[in-house]
Amino acid sequence: YVNPNNRELDRGNCGTDRRQIANITLVAQTPRFTNNTLRIVGTGWKVAGIFTTTSGAPLTVNTATDQALSGQTNERPNQVNPNPLCANPGISCWINPAAFAIPALGTRSTLGPANIPGPGFFDLDMALSREFRVREKQTLEMRGEAFNVTNSFRAAAVTTTQSNNFGKILTAMDPRILQFAMKFTF
């Protein structure tokens, strides 16, 4: 708690709260072909995909100063504008710096934690796999997976008010990641 004597000032959203989440999953398998060559090459392949879209995580703005004279430097500013986001939220301006003010010396903020909406994102992950029977109780599985298939930019914003980059999006989650694996079961 920023203010142990007044927990009302520390009310806010959970940092992992997501108001909107949609997941779509699809799994398909190729049929068993009758043509011998086609059956060897094309039968038994499985393709799976997961599409996710979600609203952003709530952000907490910090001042990096000790205005309350408490010995802590992770205090929150006061919100002076009802809309904390820029007019057109984007990479160069997500959080509006003019929406916040440093509290007076010896006072605490009236802003609770995790009250600023962060940027949302979408994600598409895919997998392609096939099992090959070696013997009666032995199989070899080949698998390829791609995470963030579209290599989409998924943003995170700077939330320290004293930073020259406050409110800008300077970091991102993982880019496209590919991985391949083989598994022998006996």
Side-chain angles (χ1 to χ4, degrees):
Y1 294 104
V2 171
N3 187 349
N5 298 323
N6 186 352
R7 293 188 180 170
E8 284 297 315
L9 295 178
D10 284 321
R11 291 198 184 268
N13 297 311
C14 175
T16 57
D17 182 24
R18 299 296 187 281
R19 300 296 165 104
Q20 291 87 27
I21 298 175
N23 291 309
I24 299 171
T25 304
L26 174 71
V27 178
Q29 182 173 352
T30 58
R32 180 171 172 81
F33 295 102
T34 55
N35 178 294
N36 194 33
T37 305
L38 203 54
R39 184 174 59 246
I40 291 170
V41 175
T43 295
W45 287 98
K46 293 178 188 171
V47 64
I50 299 174
F51 176 79
T52 302
T53 183
T54 180
S55 56
L59 304 172
T60 300
V61 175
N62 295 310
T63 64
T65 61
D66 183 14
Q67 291 299 110
L69 306 175
S70 64
Q72 296 179 337
T73 58
N74 63 342
E75 296 174 0
R76 296 183 292 270
N78 289 327
Q79 186 173 338
V80 295
N81 185 337
N83 184 7
L85 300 181
C86 294
N88 296 311
I91 293 173
S92 61
C93 183
W94 185 267
I95 301 173
N96 182 2
F100 303 95
I102 302 296
L105 194 61
T107 64
R108 296 184 185 272
S109 169
T110 58
L111 180 66
N115 284 323
I116 313 302
F121 71 92
F122 73 92
D123 188 34
L124 177 63
D125 300 334
M126 304 276 310
L128 178 67
S129 65
R130 182 175 177 194
E131 285 187 357
F132 299 92
R133 183 165 307 280
V134 179
R135 292 204 171 119
E136 185 177 337
K137 293 186 177 181
Q138 297 177 347
T139 57
L140 177 68
E141 180 183 0
M142 293 176 45
R143 176 177 206 83
E145 298 172 327
F147 303 94
N148 190 10
V149 172
T150 58
N151 203 25
S152 301
F153 178 71
R154 299 174 295 167
V158 175
T159 58
T160 302
T161 58
Q162 276 71 30
S163 169
N164 292 337
N165 294 314
F166 172 68
K168 296 179 182 177
I169 295 175
L170 299 177
T171 59
M173 292 187 274
D174 291 333
R176 179 184 303 127
I177 297 173
L178 303 174
Q179 69 182 22
F180 301 95
M182 290 177 64
K183 178 172 74 172
F184 181 66
T185 306
F186 56 94

